[in-house]
Amino acid sequence: GNFLGCFGMVAVPAELNVKWKGKTISFSVTDDSTVGDVREEVERHTKVAIDKQKYSPKVLPVDDLNKPLCEIKFFGQRKKPTLNVIMIGTPEPELQAALAAAQQPKPKNTMKKQTRNRTEDKQQSKSASFIKFETKLSDISTLINQIENEMNANTNASVKKDTAQKKRLGWTERLTQAQLKLDALCLPPESEISAEERTTLRKLRKQVVLHAEKLIVAIE
């Protein structure tokens, strides 16, 4: 069926652009290339393990690594010589670091109080762009917290295996969406916010990103 599947397809190599964490990784793929070939190439460039790469659109099935690209509509019926996908995933070294950090007990309450007072002091002087970014980030963070609450609520329940599987898939899906939103959330330009505000926003975004990654690791 392979011949038929690829029959009449363009055999010209395509340029695949994989956008990841603000970078673009470009390489050529042919119709003979497999899903595994692409994921291996991406792993080489990003250090994100093959099974930890998530793609949007979902055109590179991790459970079908030997599938030739020409059998996938996105590649086989392409109209242009270049194709773009977004990849989400954390490099292995960073994942290990995040896991190690997650295992460290955190002094919870003291941090909260300090931040709260500091936030109140700053409230007067925040720029409009800062508040806008912070609001968007807070919305994404709320989504992630909701998923975490659902996960915690479900750990003790005796759920059927397939139901649990469905729930896990649902959480992963929603966390991936949240990560895509975080990926698309750009810091305001330097003309609009101060350097200090920029640093604060970058730190806040990193916390939310790590939170999402920690939950994805927990699901898997």
Side-chain angles (χ1 to χ4, degrees):
N2 201 2
F3 176 71
L4 279 178
C6 302
F7 186 67
M9 301 290 185
V10 205
V12 185
E15 184 79 7
L16 182 62
N17 294 325
V18 180
K19 293 186 170 27
W20 173 73
K21 288 187 186 280
K23 303 184 189 106
T24 303
I25 299 139
S26 301
F27 52 90
S28 281
V29 291
T30 65
D31 288 339
D32 299 338
S33 304
T34 62
V35 172
D37 294 339
V38 173
R39 285 180 174 261
E40 268 173 38
E41 186 66 16
V42 170
E43 180 179 34
R44 217 164 54 76
H45 287 280
T46 62
K47 303 275 185 293
V48 178
I50 288 177
D51 58 337
K52 294 284 187 280
Q53 299 165 15
K54 294 191 172 60
Y55 288 91
S56 174
K58 292 180 179 169
V59 288
L60 293 158
V62 70
D63 51 4
D64 205 349
L65 295 178
N66 294 323
K67 195 182 185 105
L69 297 185
C70 65
E71 289 182 12
I72 299 166
K73 210 170 170 180
F74 180 79
F75 296 97
Q77 296 181 11
R78 62 181 178 272
K79 301 281 186 283
K80 295 179 188 153
T82 34
L83 294 166
N84 298 315
V85 293
I86 294 172
M87 191 274 279
I88 285 176
T90 309
E92 213 47 48
E94 280 184 35
L95 260 185
Q96 298 307 331
L99 277 174
Q103 253 108 62
Q104 298 281 322
K106 284 182 195 159
K108 272 194 182 149
N109 301 336
T110 48
M111 275 303 293
K112 280 261 168 66
K113 278 183 192 136
Q114 287 170 0
T115 338
R116 196 164 294 139
N117 297 342
R118 230 179 291 144
T119 318
E120 280 161 17
D121 299 341
K122 278 200 172 167
Q123 202 68 45
Q124 286 80 33
S125 58
K126 280 183 191 171
S127 60
S129 299
F130 183 97
I131 293 167
K132 199 167 152 190
F133 185 97
E134 202 178 30
T135 309
K136 283 185 184 168
L137 192 60
S138 159
D139 290 346
I140 301 171
S141 187
T142 306
L143 285 175
I144 296 170
N145 288 333
Q146 273 173 349
I147 299 167
E148 185 173 34
N149 292 339
E150 284 176 36
M151 284 166 66
N152 291 339
N154 274 278
T155 41
N156 309 327
S158 50
V159 201
K160 280 195 209 136
K161 202 174 176 188
D162 51 345
T163 318
Q165 181 68 19
K166 265 192 202 130
K167 283 199 162 151
R168 282 212 298 277
L169 281 172
W171 294 329
T172 306
E173 179 73 19
R174 281 155 63 200
L175 284 168
T176 305
Q177 289 302 328
Q179 284 182 308
L180 278 173
K181 285 182 185 167
L182 284 166
D183 229 33
L185 194 58
C186 299
L187 287 169
E190 284 165 19
S191 54
E192 290 180 16
I193 56 171
S194 67
E196 189 192 351
E197 284 184 326
R198 229 178 139 77
T199 310
T200 307
L201 289 180
R202 197 174 277 124
K203 278 185 188 157
L204 288 172
R205 182 171 63 182
K206 187 151 178 84
Q207 281 170 1
V208 180
V209 168
L210 283 173
H211 188 190
E213 281 167 1
K214 197 172 93 181
L215 293 184
I216 281 188
V217 172
I219 294 171
E220 288 168 357

